[in-house]
Amino acid sequence: MKMDLGIAGCSQLYTLSLYGGFNPEEVDSILQLEKLGLGSATMLALGYRDQQADPMVYAPKVRRPMEELLVRI
């Protein structure tokens, strides 16, 4: 799900940042997701870059090869 949302967001020129280390039970409680039969699985910030104030907005993206990031088991 989070990858689909990421691809969709980037295709619409949004910027997003995934957050790790959040407490899903607490988020669910605060947002009362259980009343809707829902539960949180990931958390992210989604929006536009401030092209006037962000000095990195036009910087090239640097990506490491998948082989350096993943270990196949």
Side-chain angles (χ1 to χ4, degrees), residues 1-72:
M1 168 82 176
K2 64 183 171 184
M3 185 58 76
D4 294 338
L5 186 55
I7 292 169
C10 291
S11 72
Q12 298 298 313
L13 303 178
Y14 295 109
T15 298
L16 63 91
S17 295
L18 293 172
Y19 290 95
F22 73 100
N23 183 331
E25 293 81 17
E26 193 161 337
V27 171
D28 294 353
S29 176
I30 291 168
L31 297 177
Q32 300 179 0
L33 296 181
E34 57 279 347
K35 289 182 181 179
L36 302 171
L38 300 173
S40 57
T42 189
M43 184 176 285
L44 62 87
L46 179 67
Y48 293 105
R49 286 186 183 263
D50 183 344
Q51 295 186 3
Q52 306 291 328
D54 185 353
M56 301 301 290
V57 72
Y58 296 111
K61 300 286 184 191
V62 177
R63 302 281 191 251
R64 292 186 181 194
M66 291 279 261
E67 295 78 25
E68 287 183 28
L69 297 174
L70 302 176
V71 174
R72 294 188 186 268

